[in-house]
Amino acid sequence: MSGSKEGVIIGEREHNDEEQRKDYVDPPAAPLMGFSELKKWSFYRAVIAEFMATLLFLYITIATAIGNNNAQTTGPCYGVGVLGIAWAFGAVIFVLVYCTAGISGGHINPAITFGMLLARKVSLIRAVAYIAAQSLGAIAGVALVKALMRHAYNSNGGGANVVAAGFSKGAALGAEIIGTFLLVYTVFSATDPKRNARDSHVPVLAPLPIGLAVFVVHLATIPITGTGINPARSLGAAVMFNNRRVWSQHWIFWVGPFVGALAAAAYHQYVLRAAAVKALGSFRSNRSG
């Protein structure tokens, strides 16, 4: 009996020593529902920031894509090309995440918000509000492009996501899942408090790997789907272009990103950060006590 007590005491000492050695603190889990947030101005400020950031994101990127497609009709040496479009998406995400991270977390993407919800980093109320704001912001951003470049917009596909010729819907879905997995995994890794504690400069540079992830995913998947990995981006273009083919394939650009976000959240939280192992260890410690 005394041996059992000594084992518990030793276990508690080891746990305390481990806590003292940690140079980082994991933030507490967000409330599941979060109704109390509705009383705070910071909540509405964050929602507005997500709306504006997504509006600007869609305006810059869709205008770049439309301008490139329109220039290609002039000759093969005109326009920014796939590389330029990928840079536009990645660079503007870098800028906007840098600008809004301290206000809303800089999600600018329902898939990222969904991943954060699964990891209990945002409440359900905040996640729903963010996704609504992102979707409306995307529609408004593409509407601006259509208003300012109407002829080029209508004659060059509207920047809408569709499955390219020669690819199946299954291939497109797989591309969206893998691309979103890389993006959401990068977001989790770049904002991990454990990493931030080791390198104090990481919080400043966090938008950089996120922007680079968007860039490289676009290089890989523009030829397949035009690259979604962001349901709000796909929705905004689909609403404003309003084409039957676009709508018939639109489900791919919600299902793929959400599945990819789910996989990334599970991988980071339960494999890399070993949340399941820690929970099991805590359960065993409580039973021993």
Side-chain angles (χ1 to χ4, degrees):
M1 188 70 176
S2 60
S4 176
K5 290 182 179 179
E6 290 176 0
V8 172
I9 293 172
I10 292 172
E12 290 179 350
R13 286 176 179 172
E14 290 176 349
H15 176 72
N16 292 335
D17 291 342
E18 182 181 354
E19 289 296 321
Q20 291 176 359
R21 287 196 301 268
K22 286 172 60 175
D23 56 356
Y24 67 95
V25 177
D26 284 313
L32 180 59
M33 296 302 297
F35 288 113
S36 61
E37 293 187 290
L38 296 173
K39 301 177 183 179
K40 301 176 181 178
W41 163 243
S42 60
F43 170 78
Y44 297 99
R45 181 180 62 188
V47 172
I48 293 170
E50 286 293 308
F51 172 85
M52 285 301 301
T54 314
L55 184 155
L56 293 171
F57 171 59
L58 266 294
Y59 172 74
I60 295 297
T61 55
I62 297 301
T64 301
I66 294 299
N68 173 73
N69 293 343
N70 192 57
Q72 292 296 326
T73 61
T74 307
C77 296
Y78 294 86
V80 296
V82 170
L83 182 62
I85 295 172
W87 268 121
F89 275 87
V92 76
I93 281 293
F94 167 73
V95 170
L96 293 173
V97 171
Y98 178 83
C99 291
T100 60
I103 301 171
S104 66
H107 295 189
I108 322 173
N109 184 336
I112 292 175
T113 300
F114 180 62
M116 293 296 170
L117 173 64
L118 294 175
R120 293 292 300 277
K121 295 182 182 296
V122 297
S123 67
L124 180 61
I125 290 294
R126 184 176 289 265
V128 171
Y130 275 18
I131 292 173
Q134 292 157 359
S135 299
L136 292 173
I139 294 170
V142 181
L144 282 176
V145 177
K146 187 173 183 178
L148 298 175
M149 306 170 62
R150 182 172 296 274
H151 176 72
Y153 180 90
N154 290 328
S155 58
N156 288 281
N161 291 121
V162 292
V163 181
F167 293 94
S168 66
K169 291 181 180 179
L173 181 63
E176 289 295 308
I177 292 173
I178 296 171
T180 310
F181 177 91
L182 175 60
L183 171 59
V184 178
Y185 172 42
T186 303
V187 171
F188 273 108
S189 298
T191 59
D192 192 329
K194 187 173 184 179
R195 179 184 297 274
N196 293 349
R198 294 173 179 170
D199 302 294
S200 60
H201 62 276
V202 167
V204 178
L205 295 179
L208 180 59
I210 296 171
L212 287 175
V214 172
F215 166 66
V216 296
V217 171
H218 275 75
L219 286 181
T221 59
I222 282 177
I224 304 173
T225 62
T227 309
I229 68 170
N230 183 333
R233 173 259 187 272
S234 301
L235 178 65
V239 168
M240 297 311 301
F241 193 58
N242 197 26
N243 177 275
R244 179 178 297 180
R245 181 185 173 212
V246 171
W247 283 120
S248 69
Q249 299 176 358
H250 187 63
W251 64 271
I252 294 171
F253 303 100
W254 284 86
V255 174
F258 273 48
V259 171
L262 170 62
Y267 176 63
H268 184 269
Q269 294 295 103
Y270 291 99
V271 178
L272 300 185
R273 293 301 304 273
V277 175
K278 292 176 183 176
L280 180 60
S282 177
F283 174 72
R284 288 176 174 174
S285 177
N286 291 335
R287 288 195 63 183
S288 300

